[in-house]
Amino acid sequence: MRSPIAAVRSRARHRGKTAGQLRAVCEELAHTLVKITAECDDLTCTVVRLTAENDRLRAKNAELEADFDRAAIDYFGALEDLRLAAYEPGAA
């Protein structure tokens, strides 16, 4: 698809157009503008959707990191308990 600006420049170079021809150019440009606006709306929706998905994934990541931290604390606590139990008098 040719750029709307390129279309205007191309048509501006050709003087002596009739009113009908100029109306046709305006209609073409208006149609192009409608298409570009629709594409922009679609892209805006995509950005909003991806932002929401990114926020959801960040929240899930934070939750998983917190779970991992709790598990690591539990693991190292149990490991320390085992070390202390091994050094207690009367331990095997």
Side-chain angles (χ1 to χ4, degrees), residues 16-56:
K17 297 287 184 181
T18 66
Q21 291 170 325
L22 292 175
R23 276 191 294 278
V25 169
C26 285
E27 288 174 15
E28 179 184 337
L29 291 175
H31 178 69
T32 301
L33 183 59
V34 168
K35 284 175 35 180
I36 290 172
T37 301
E39 288 175 15
C40 189
D41 289 346
D42 289 345
L43 291 173
T44 299
C45 290
T46 299
V47 168
V48 168
R49 182 180 48 79
L50 290 174
T51 299
E53 178 71 7
N54 187 42
D55 291 345
R56 187 188 68 75

Side-chain angles (χ1 to χ4, degrees), residues 56-67:
R56 187 188 68 75
L57 291 173
R58 284 180 185 267
K60 183 64 176 175
N61 186 51
E63 180 184 325
L64 291 172
E65 285 179 352
D67 289 347

